Amino acid sequence: MYTLYSRPGSGGFAVEAAFRLAGQPFTLVNVPKQAPGDDFLAISPLGQVPVLTLPCGRSITESGAMVTLVAERFPEAELAPQPQSPGRAEFLRWMFFMSSALYPALLRYFYAQRYTSDPGAAETVQNAALAESDRCFAVIENALSGRQWLVDDRFSLADVYLLMLAHWHPVGDRPREEWTNIVRHCSALKRQPVLADLNETHRLW
Ligand SMILES: N[C@@H](CCC(=O)N[C@@H](CS)C(=O)NCC(=O)O)C(=O)O
């Protein structure tokens, strides 16, 4: 059995969505934000969610890795282009772009005080983080021009990951209105029954 350590509104949204869209059972453990205990720090050294414990007993951090793993382990659900398929490179590109460029830019906004030793500089860090996350979103907005999904003109978990990040945008908790392609992309996904149901807990939109 898989065990997902998560918290409503966190990156656990995409991983929970992956399991539910794959129709696979998993145990969900809610980790309160304040003061993670030693047991949790043993599997998440930075004290962050999500964490996924695999049936073999190993635990991994990194939401992008978890989403990719679920798609790979349950290929019949067709949640991502499979290894060796033509769209795989593009899927990996977007997963890494979102998890290594965009997600950290958003973290710099929300945890600005971690990124400066000057107590008066948090606002400057936030301004720069907002500009950087907008620069990343603009890349995705451009890529979605004339297409419905990020990869291969078919739905994948990269789309779910984008839906989550777009609703973490610090201005209004939703994608900027001028990103019409991202707004259109998210609107379609928000109607998907599994994602709509998941949002009852996560309250991303
Ligand atoms: N690189 C990690 C980032 C995880 C992360 O930053 N999680 C946030 C919630 S979305 C968290 O636990 N923040 C609490 C903290 O950093 O203290 C991932 O992609 O899973």
mmCIF file of all heavy atoms in Angstrom, residues 19-54:
data_model
loop_
_atom_site.group_PDB
_atom_site.id
_atom_site.type_symbol
_atom_site.label_atom_id
_atom_site.label_comp_id
_atom_site.label_asym_id
_atom_site.label_seq_id
_atom_site.Cartn_x
_atom_site.Cartn_y
_atom_site.Cartn_z
ATOM 1 N N PHE A 19 -3.184 9.431 -7.773
ATOM 2 C CA PHE A 19 -3.692 8.145 -7.294
ATOM 3 C C PHE A 19 -5.176 7.995 -7.600
ATOM 4 O O PHE A 19 -5.628 6.924 -8.029
ATOM 5 C CB PHE A 19 -3.452 8.003 -5.785
ATOM 6 C CG PHE A 19 -2.084 7.501 -5.456
ATOM 7 C CD1 PHE A 19 -1.122 8.353 -4.926
ATOM 8 C CD2 PHE A 19 -1.733 6.177 -5.685
ATOM 9 C CE1 PHE A 19 0.158 7.891 -4.633
ATOM 10 C CE2 PHE A 19 -0.455 5.698 -5.397
ATOM 11 C CZ PHE A 19 0.487 6.568 -4.868
ATOM 12 N N ARG A 20 -5.917 9.053 -7.384
ATOM 13 C CA ARG A 20 -7.367 8.942 -7.603
ATOM 14 C C ARG A 20 -7.702 8.785 -9.080
ATOM 15 O O ARG A 20 -8.584 8.003 -9.439
ATOM 16 C CB ARG A 20 -8.081 10.133 -6.966
ATOM 17 C CG ARG A 20 -8.020 10.003 -5.431
ATOM 18 C CD ARG A 20 -8.719 11.100 -4.702
ATOM 19 N NE ARG A 20 -10.143 11.177 -5.011
ATOM 20 C CZ ARG A 20 -10.984 11.998 -4.383
ATOM 21 N NH1 ARG A 20 -10.548 12.785 -3.417
ATOM 22 N NH2 ARG A 20 -12.258 12.036 -4.721
ATOM 23 N N LEU A 21 -6.983 9.494 -9.932
ATOM 24 C CA LEU A 21 -7.226 9.355 -11.374
ATOM 25 C C LEU A 21 -6.777 7.980 -11.873
ATOM 26 O O LEU A 21 -7.343 7.440 -12.819
ATOM 27 C CB LEU A 21 -6.495 10.463 -12.140
ATOM 28 C CG LEU A 21 -7.085 11.863 -11.973
ATOM 29 C CD1 LEU A 21 -6.114 12.933 -12.478
ATOM 30 C CD2 LEU A 21 -8.432 11.996 -12.687
ATOM 31 N N ALA A 22 -5.792 7.413 -11.202
ATOM 32 C CA ALA A 22 -5.331 6.069 -11.574
ATOM 33 C C ALA A 22 -6.247 4.989 -10.998
ATOM 34 O O ALA A 22 -6.118 3.816 -11.327
ATOM 35 C CB ALA A 22 -3.894 5.861 -11.085
ATOM 36 N N GLY A 23 -7.148 5.399 -10.107
ATOM 37 C CA GLY A 23 -8.049 4.430 -9.474
ATOM 38 C C GLY A 23 -7.321 3.521 -8.513
ATOM 39 O O GLY A 23 -7.721 2.365 -8.309
ATOM 40 N N GLN A 24 -6.241 4.009 -7.912
ATOM 41 C CA GLN A 24 -5.419 3.181 -7.032
ATOM 42 C C GLN A 24 -5.623 3.574 -5.574
ATOM 43 O O GLN A 24 -5.633 4.762 -5.256
ATOM 44 C CB GLN A 24 -3.936 3.342 -7.388
ATOM 45 C CG GLN A 24 -3.584 2.771 -8.743
ATOM 46 C CD GLN A 24 -3.832 1.274 -8.838
ATOM 47 O OE1 GLN A 24 -3.587 0.534 -7.885
ATOM 48 N NE2 GLN A 24 -4.321 0.829 -9.992
ATOM 49 N N PRO A 25 -5.732 2.601 -4.689
ATOM 50 C CA PRO A 25 -5.901 2.917 -3.266
ATOM 51 C C PRO A 25 -4.609 3.465 -2.661
ATOM 52 O O PRO A 25 -3.509 3.118 -3.101
ATOM 53 C CB PRO A 25 -6.246 1.555 -2.642
ATOM 54 C CG PRO A 25 -5.633 0.556 -3.561
ATOM 55 C CD PRO A 25 -5.659 1.157 -4.946
ATOM 56 N N PHE A 26 -4.737 4.304 -1.680
ATOM 57 C CA PHE A 26 -3.585 4.809 -0.934
ATOM 58 C C PHE A 26 -4.098 5.291 0.416
ATOM 59 O O PHE A 26 -5.275 5.584 0.572
ATOM 60 C CB PHE A 26 -2.886 5.960 -1.683
ATOM 61 C CG PHE A 26 -3.758 7.174 -1.868
ATOM 62 C CD1 PHE A 26 -3.590 8.294 -1.057
ATOM 63 C CD2 PHE A 26 -4.756 7.207 -2.830
ATOM 64 C CE1 PHE A 26 -4.399 9.417 -1.206
ATOM 65 C CE2 PHE A 26 -5.575 8.322 -2.988
ATOM 66 C CZ PHE A 26 -5.396 9.430 -2.180
ATOM 67 N N THR A 27 -3.189 5.333 1.372
ATOM 68 C CA THR A 27 -3.553 5.842 2.692
ATOM 69 C C THR A 27 -3.100 7.296 2.775
ATOM 70 O O THR A 27 -1.970 7.612 2.401
ATOM 71 C CB THR A 27 -2.844 5.015 3.783
ATOM 72 O OG1 THR A 27 -3.223 3.659 3.622
ATOM 73 C CG2 THR A 27 -3.237 5.486 5.177
ATOM 74 N N LEU A 28 -3.998 8.131 3.244
ATOM 75 C CA LEU A 28 -3.688 9.560 3.336
ATOM 76 C C LEU A 28 -3.452 9.926 4.803
ATOM 77 O O LEU A 28 -4.294 9.650 5.659
ATOM 78 C CB LEU A 28 -4.860 10.366 2.764
ATOM 79 C CG LEU A 28 -4.677 11.864 2.659
ATOM 80 C CD1 LEU A 28 -3.547 12.217 1.689
ATOM 81 C CD2 LEU A 28 -5.993 12.513 2.179
ATOM 82 N N VAL A 29 -2.297 10.538 5.068
ATOM 83 C CA VAL A 29 -1.989 10.979 6.435
ATOM 84 C C VAL A 29 -1.850 12.496 6.420
ATOM 85 O O VAL A 29 -1.050 13.051 5.656
ATOM 86 C CB VAL A 29 -0.681 10.341 6.944
ATOM 87 C CG1 VAL A 29 -0.331 10.855 8.342
ATOM 88 C CG2 VAL A 29 -0.793 8.827 6.947
ATOM 89 N N ASN A 30 -2.646 13.156 7.234
ATOM 90 C CA ASN A 30 -2.576 14.614 7.302
ATOM 91 C C ASN A 30 -1.442 15.026 8.248
ATOM 92 O O ASN A 30 -1.376 14.561 9.388
ATOM 93 C CB ASN A 30 -3.918 15.176 7.785
ATOM 94 C CG ASN A 30 -3.925 16.689 7.752
ATOM 95 O OD1 ASN A 30 -3.621 17.288 6.721
ATOM 96 N ND2 ASN A 30 -4.235 17.310 8.866
ATOM 97 N N VAL A 31 -0.562 15.880 7.751
ATOM 98 C CA VAL A 31 0.569 16.344 8.571
ATOM 99 C C VAL A 31 0.334 17.814 8.929
ATOM 100 O O VAL A 31 0.390 18.673 8.055
ATOM 101 C CB VAL A 31 1.901 16.211 7.789
ATOM 102 C CG1 VAL A 31 3.077 16.658 8.649
ATOM 103 C CG2 VAL A 31 2.096 14.791 7.303
ATOM 104 N N PRO A 32 0.073 18.103 10.180
ATOM 105 C CA PRO A 32 -0.144 19.501 10.564
ATOM 106 C C PRO A 32 1.095 20.344 10.257
ATOM 107 O O PRO A 32 2.224 19.838 10.291
ATOM 108 C CB PRO A 32 -0.395 19.437 12.077
ATOM 109 C CG PRO A 32 -0.678 18.004 12.373
ATOM 110 C CD PRO A 32 -0.010 17.192 11.330
ATOM 111 N N LYS A 33 0.878 21.614 9.925
ATOM 112 C CA LYS A 33 1.989 22.453 9.466
ATOM 113 C C LYS A 33 3.010 22.724 10.579
ATOM 114 O O LYS A 33 4.210 22.760 10.329
ATOM 115 C CB LYS A 33 1.444 23.789 8.937
ATOM 116 C CG LYS A 33 2.468 24.555 8.144
ATOM 117 C CD LYS A 33 1.842 25.696 7.370
ATOM 118 C CE LYS A 33 2.875 26.328 6.445
ATOM 119 N NZ LYS A 33 2.318 27.353 5.614
ATOM 120 N N GLN A 34 2.535 22.913 11.768
ATOM 121 C CA GLN A 34 3.448 23.319 12.843
ATOM 122 C C GLN A 34 4.258 22.136 13.378
ATOM 123 O O GLN A 34 3.737 21.052 13.573
ATOM 124 C CB GLN A 34 2.641 23.942 14.001
ATOM 125 C CG GLN A 34 1.811 25.154 13.593
ATOM 126 C CD GLN A 34 2.591 26.177 12.769
ATOM 127 O OE1 GLN A 34 3.780 26.379 12.972
ATOM 128 N NE2 GLN A 34 1.920 26.798 11.811
ATOM 129 N N ALA A 35 5.522 22.395 13.625
ATOM 130 C CA ALA A 35 6.433 21.507 14.329
ATOM 131 C C ALA A 35 6.318 20.029 13.951
ATOM 132 O O ALA A 35 5.823 19.209 14.734
ATOM 133 C CB ALA A 35 6.207 21.663 15.842
ATOM 134 N N PRO A 36 6.814 19.656 12.773
ATOM 135 C CA PRO A 36 6.806 18.230 12.418
ATOM 136 C C PRO A 36 7.657 17.432 13.409
ATOM 137 O O PRO A 36 8.715 17.903 13.845
ATOM 138 C CB PRO A 36 7.434 18.208 11.019
ATOM 139 C CG PRO A 36 8.077 19.535 10.815
ATOM 140 C CD PRO A 36 7.432 20.504 11.751
ATOM 141 N N GLY A 37 7.181 16.254 13.788
ATOM 142 C CA GLY A 37 7.898 15.434 14.777
ATOM 143 C C GLY A 37 9.081 14.709 14.152
ATOM 144 O O GLY A 37 9.271 14.715 12.930
ATOM 145 N N ASP A 38 9.846 14.046 15.010
ATOM 146 C CA ASP A 38 11.054 13.352 14.547
ATOM 147 C C ASP A 38 10.744 12.251 13.537
ATOM 148 O O ASP A 38 11.500 12.019 12.594
ATOM 149 C CB ASP A 38 11.792 12.745 15.751
ATOM 150 C CG ASP A 38 12.477 13.829 16.575
ATOM 151 O OD1 ASP A 38 12.576 14.980 16.082
ATOM 152 O OD2 ASP A 38 12.873 13.534 17.714
ATOM 153 N N ASP A 39 9.603 11.559 13.749
ATOM 154 C CA ASP A 39 9.235 10.480 12.817
ATOM 155 C C ASP A 39 9.062 11.033 11.415
ATOM 156 O O ASP A 39 9.479 10.434 10.425
ATOM 157 C CB ASP A 39 7.919 9.815 13.255
ATOM 158 C CG ASP A 39 8.147 8.920 14.456
ATOM 159 O OD1 ASP A 39 9.303 8.770 14.868
ATOM 160 O OD2 ASP A 39 7.142 8.391 14.975
ATOM 161 N N PHE A 40 8.410 12.209 11.344
ATOM 162 C CA PHE A 40 8.176 12.785 10.017
ATOM 163 C C PHE A 40 9.476 13.327 9.438
ATOM 164 O O PHE A 40 9.747 13.156 8.242
ATOM 165 C CB PHE A 40 7.105 13.885 10.091
ATOM 166 C CG PHE A 40 6.742 14.413 8.728
ATOM 167 C CD1 PHE A 40 6.118 13.608 7.798
ATOM 168 C CD2 PHE A 40 7.070 15.712 8.362
ATOM 169 C CE1 PHE A 40 5.812 14.066 6.519
ATOM 170 C CE2 PHE A 40 6.767 16.186 7.096
ATOM 171 C CZ PHE A 40 6.137 15.371 6.178
ATOM 172 N N LEU A 41 10.300 13.953 10.267
ATOM 173 C CA LEU A 41 11.579 14.494 9.771
ATOM 174 C C LEU A 41 12.493 13.381 9.254
ATOM 175 O O LEU A 41 13.327 13.615 8.373
ATOM 176 C CB LEU A 41 12.280 15.289 10.880
ATOM 177 C CG LEU A 41 11.615 16.635 11.211
ATOM 178 C CD1 LEU A 41 12.294 17.275 12.418
ATOM 179 C CD2 LEU A 41 11.658 17.585 10.022
ATOM 180 N N ALA A 42 12.284 12.178 9.763
ATOM 181 C CA ALA A 42 13.106 11.055 9.292
ATOM 182 C C ALA A 42 12.800 10.728 7.823
ATOM 183 O O ALA A 42 13.666 10.243 7.092
ATOM 184 C CB ALA A 42 12.864 9.830 10.162
ATOM 185 N N ILE A 43 11.578 11.015 7.387
ATOM 186 C CA ILE A 43 11.245 10.738 5.977
ATOM 187 C C ILE A 43 11.170 12.024 5.156
ATOM 188 O O ILE A 43 11.121 11.983 3.929
ATOM 189 C CB ILE A 43 9.918 9.935 5.837
ATOM 190 C CG1 ILE A 43 8.763 10.634 6.556
ATOM 191 C CG2 ILE A 43 10.115 8.510 6.341
ATOM 192 C CD1 ILE A 43 7.407 9.976 6.291
ATOM 193 N N SER A 44 11.169 13.167 5.821
ATOM 194 C CA SER A 44 11.139 14.450 5.125
ATOM 195 C C SER A 44 12.071 15.410 5.852
ATOM 196 O O SER A 44 11.637 16.200 6.688
ATOM 197 C CB SER A 44 9.704 15.010 5.105
ATOM 198 O OG SER A 44 9.696 16.278 4.475
ATOM 199 N N PRO A 45 13.353 15.364 5.528
ATOM 200 C CA PRO A 45 14.345 16.130 6.299
ATOM 201 C C PRO A 45 14.060 17.631 6.345
ATOM 202 O O PRO A 45 14.434 18.295 7.301
ATOM 203 C CB PRO A 45 15.658 15.840 5.569
ATOM 204 C CG PRO A 45 15.420 14.555 4.862
ATOM 205 C CD PRO A 45 13.974 14.521 4.496
ATOM 206 N N LEU A 46 13.406 18.168 5.310
ATOM 207 C CA LEU A 46 13.072 19.599 5.340
ATOM 208 C C LEU A 46 11.735 19.852 6.030
ATOM 209 O O LEU A 46 11.276 20.993 6.121
ATOM 210 C CB LEU A 46 13.047 20.180 3.913
ATOM 211 C CG LEU A 46 14.390 20.194 3.170
ATOM 212 C CD1 LEU A 46 14.232 20.793 1.765
ATOM 213 C CD2 LEU A 46 15.446 20.987 3.949
ATOM 214 N N GLY A 47 11.105 18.783 6.482
ATOM 215 C CA GLY A 47 9.827 18.931 7.184
ATOM 216 C C GLY A 47 8.685 19.329 6.262
ATOM 217 O O GLY A 47 7.694 19.897 6.706
ATOM 218 N N GLN A 48 8.827 19.007 4.973
ATOM 219 C CA GLN A 48 7.813 19.431 4.001
ATOM 220 C C GLN A 48 6.920 18.271 3.554
ATOM 221 O O GLN A 48 7.336 17.113 3.583
ATOM 222 C CB GLN A 48 8.505 20.028 2.762
ATOM 223 C CG GLN A 48 9.287 21.287 3.085
ATOM 224 C CD GLN A 48 10.078 21.809 1.898
ATOM 225 O OE1 GLN A 48 10.495 21.051 1.026
ATOM 226 N NE2 GLN A 48 10.305 23.104 1.880
ATOM 227 N N VAL A 49 5.724 18.634 3.138
ATOM 228 C CA VAL A 49 4.839 17.693 2.461
ATOM 229 C C VAL A 49 4.838 18.058 0.973
ATOM 230 O O VAL A 49 5.110 19.211 0.634
ATOM 231 C CB VAL A 49 3.393 17.770 3.018
ATOM 232 C CG1 VAL A 49 3.329 17.213 4.410
ATOM 233 C CG2 VAL A 49 2.809 19.178 2.950
ATOM 234 N N PRO A 50 4.524 17.102 0.091
ATOM 235 C CA PRO A 50 4.158 15.728 0.374
ATOM 236 C C PRO A 50 5.369 14.806 0.544
ATOM 237 O O PRO A 50 6.463 15.111 0.112
ATOM 238 C CB PRO A 50 3.369 15.333 -0.884
ATOM 239 C CG PRO A 50 4.017 16.130 -1.985
ATOM 240 C CD PRO A 50 4.399 17.438 -1.354
ATOM 241 N N VAL A 51 5.066 13.664 1.175
ATOM 242 C CA VAL A 51 6.004 12.538 1.235
ATOM 243 C C VAL A 51 5.200 11.303 0.840
ATOM 244 O O VAL A 51 4.028 11.175 1.226
ATOM 245 C CB VAL A 51 6.574 12.339 2.658
ATOM 246 C CG1 VAL A 51 7.455 11.091 2.719
ATOM 247 C CG2 VAL A 51 7.374 13.553 3.101
ATOM 248 N N LEU A 52 5.837 10.446 0.066
ATOM 249 C CA LEU A 52 5.156 9.212 -0.342
ATOM 250 C C LEU A 52 5.962 8.014 0.139
ATOM 251 O O LEU A 52 7.142 7.881 -0.189
ATOM 252 C CB LEU A 52 5.018 9.173 -1.868
ATOM 253 C CG LEU A 52 4.259 7.976 -2.443
ATOM 254 C CD1 LEU A 52 2.792 7.990 -1.995
ATOM 255 C CD2 LEU A 52 4.339 7.964 -3.979
ATOM 256 N N THR A 53 5.315 7.174 0.942
ATOM 257 C CA THR A 53 5.944 5.908 1.344
ATOM 258 C C THR A 53 5.427 4.819 0.409
ATOM 259 O O THR A 53 4.205 4.668 0.211
ATOM 260 C CB THR A 53 5.649 5.581 2.818
ATOM 261 O OG1 THR A 53 6.153 6.654 3.629
ATOM 262 C CG2 THR A 53 6.342 4.299 3.247
ATOM 263 N N LEU A 54 6.363 4.116 -0.185
ATOM 264 C CA LEU A 54 6.052 3.118 -1.212
ATOM 265 C C LEU A 54 5.780 1.761 -0.570
ATOM 266 O O LEU A 54 6.185 1.528 0.579
ATOM 267 C CB LEU A 54 7.225 3.010 -2.187
ATOM 268 C CG LEU A 54 7.759 4.341 -2.744
ATOM 269 C CD1 LEU A 54 9.010 4.112 -3.566
ATOM 270 C CD2 LEU A 54 6.692 5.010 -3.597
#
